[in-house]
Amino acid sequence: MLSQRALNRALLSRQLLLDRADLPAEASRRSAAVIAAVEHLVGLQAQAPFPPYYGLWSRLGGFRPDDLAALITDRSMVRIAVMRGTIHLVSARDCLPLRGLLQPMIERGMRNAHGKRLAGVDAAALAAAGRALVETEPMTFSELGQALASRWPGCRAADLAQAVRAFVPLVQVPPRAVWGRSGPSRHTSAEHWLGPQAARHGPLGLPVLVTRYLGAFGPATVRDVQAWSGLTGVRSAVEQLRPSLLTFRDENGAELFDLPSAPRPDADVPVPVRLIAEFDNLVLSHADRSRVVSAASFGRLSTNNGIFPGSVLIDGFVAGMWRLARAKQAATLTIELFGPAREHAQVRSEAERMLAFCAPEAAHDIRFGPIA
């Protein structure tokens, strides 16, 4: 049986959160290490442009914003809808293999949300028309929908654009998500953006995806893998892998699967205070999130407007949340802890490190109190 704390330590170890590994100084090795971290994590959730920067900062020693900005600009990293149909930052190597495996789930979600209003529209014709438009010039969804509406005048522009998003693997192009720059979400196809390298990597099978999930998030149940990926058919893939996996039970008796070689630290291994990025998969990728966040704490993180704040880890578990406000010459980091904490000094120290990372030239202000 694996206790909740044992599962917590295993998760944090695999999420690179027990100890920050220092990045190499040499540029090419440094870039390779950042790519390797993102691939190990099977992408970083990126519904907003900049959480992946904070996600990597919390995991890699010496990480700087330019380490990721350069990889987005040179097309080594892309932002695309994959797991659960949400935008993730993934490597160019992972982009199309991941998207291909998840494609049926993404199309199913689109049909559930928009299908009735697109009855009678030829999906292949719509996909081809959308692909041609975005490969001619990257477009926002508003621009894409309006351009398509002239051909399908009886349909809402937004439905047409979202259908193309589902049928065609669209990536968001720079300057979107490039640190220090801004721009609207413009899209082109992954094949067009990545060019010849898009064809270098073959399809990804579900059993392989399961093993990668376990390497980054395990030990885990079948339901956990389903919650993270949004896929069906996970149980059959796990059963196919069963002879090569270890099995455990959690405190509630649920069956857990794991890779034999994956780390499972002692439950009492000390964990440093960490500030975790907004939308971080650490707290979003299990059906049973109790290994890292209680139901009450998760309820406080969840908001009606869909904004998921950064979280504060104390002793490995979510114990608060944080929010950063930027002005021209000032940066204010507000931290709301969910209860009394003896680690106030450690939380402040980590907050100072974050401000030094993201706003080195600004005046820094750290506040403890409610987040509006």
Side-chain angles (χ1 to χ4, degrees):
M1 191 270 289
L2 292 177
S3 68
Q4 183 187 71
R5 288 181 64 85
L7 290 174
N8 173 269
R9 273 30 181 187
L11 174 62
L12 295 178
S13 175
R14 298 175 205 198
Q15 285 288 301
L16 313 178
L17 289 166
L18 285 185
D19 298 294
R20 285 184 172 99
D22 288 330
L23 288 174
E26 195 270 319
S28 63
R29 292 178 59 229
R30 190 178 186 90
S31 294
V34 173
I35 293 171
V38 173
E39 290 183 341
H40 167 73
L41 297 167
V42 203
L44 291 163
Q45 190 152 314
Q47 286 159 278
F50 301 114
Y53 290 86
Y54 294 95
L56 289 168
W57 166 81
S58 68
R59 292 169 166 92
L60 301 176
F63 176 79
R64 300 186 297 261
D66 284 349
D67 293 326
L68 177 55
L71 295 172
I72 293 173
T73 302
D74 74 10
R75 311 188 189 198
S76 298
M77 295 279 191
V78 294
R79 300 173 74 242
I80 186 171
V82 278
M83 283 73 71
R84 306 183 299 281
T86 57
I87 299 294
H88 279 68
L89 175 84
V90 300
S91 71
R93 283 191 294 257
D94 272 347
C95 177
L96 285 173
L98 276 174
R99 179 57 184 251
L101 178 60
L102 295 155
Q103 186 66 28
M105 176 270 297
I106 292 170
E107 291 186 17
R108 184 171 62 251
M110 182 280 299
R111 290 191 174 97
N112 290 339
H114 305 275
K116 289 183 179 179
R117 294 190 295 270
L118 294 174
V121 173
D122 184 294
L126 177 57
R131 180 184 288 274
L133 286 166
V134 298
E135 290 185 354
T136 298
E137 180 180 9
M139 306 179 81
T140 67
F141 284 140
S142 177
E143 293 166 344
L144 176 60
Q146 291 299 323
L148 293 166
S150 61
R151 179 167 173 181
W152 286 276
C155 298
R156 295 196 323 179
D159 293 326
L160 294 168
Q162 288 303 308
V164 173
R165 177 186 184 268
F167 295 138
V168 180
L170 298 181
V171 298
Q172 295 184 4
V173 302
R176 185 71 170 177
V178 175
W179 190 270
R181 301 175 65 186
S182 62
S185 298
R186 297 188 183 277
H187 307 81
T188 189
S189 73
E191 296 91 342
H192 183 72
W193 184 249
L194 296 176
Q197 66 175 319
R200 293 177 191 163
H201 309 287
L204 184 69
L206 182 52
V208 173
L209 186 66
V210 170
T211 61
R212 291 186 62 180
Y213 172 81
L214 293 176
F217 296 96
T221 66
V222 169
R223 290 182 62 244
D224 290 329
V225 186
Q226 290 170 332
W228 167 76
S229 66
L231 289 171
T232 59
V234 170
R235 181 165 295 281
S236 62
V238 171
E239 291 301 328
Q240 180 180 336
L241 291 167
R242 183 184 285 272
S244 65
L245 300 177
L246 297 181
T247 58
F248 303 92
R249 296 282 174 178
D250 67 14
E251 292 178 346
N252 297 315
E255 186 175 31
L256 301 161
F257 298 89
D258 203 11
L259 305 176
S261 60
R264 287 176 292 278
D266 186 85
D268 294 324
V269 167
V271 178
V273 167
R274 292 281 190 249
L275 300 185
I276 303 301
E278 302 160 293
F279 304 104
D280 200 290
N281 274 330
L282 175 75
V283 293
L284 294 173
S285 296
H286 295 85
D288 179 2
R289 302 185 182 97
S290 64
R291 70 184 63 200
V292 70
V293 58
S294 68
S297 294
F298 189 81
R300 296 181 70 169
L301 293 174
S302 303
T303 60
N304 292 331
N305 60 5
I307 301 299
F308 200 89
S311 53
V312 182
L313 291 190
I314 296 178
D315 189 31
F317 293 87
V318 173
M321 55 188 174
W322 62 268
R323 186 159 292 159
L324 179 68
R326 297 290 303 271
K328 288 184 178 179
Q329 301 297 327
T332 300
L333 185 61
T334 302
I335 297 167
E336 179 179 345
L337 297 178
F338 296 156
R342 292 174 296 179
E343 295 85 356
H344 237 70
Q346 295 97 311
V347 174
R348 178 175 288 276
S349 177
E350 189 73 350
E352 290 170 349
R353 291 184 74 258
M354 175 179 280
L355 289 173
F357 159 75
C358 68
E361 306 301 326
H364 297 166
D365 184 15
I366 300 169
R367 302 177 182 178
F368 288 84
I371 293 177

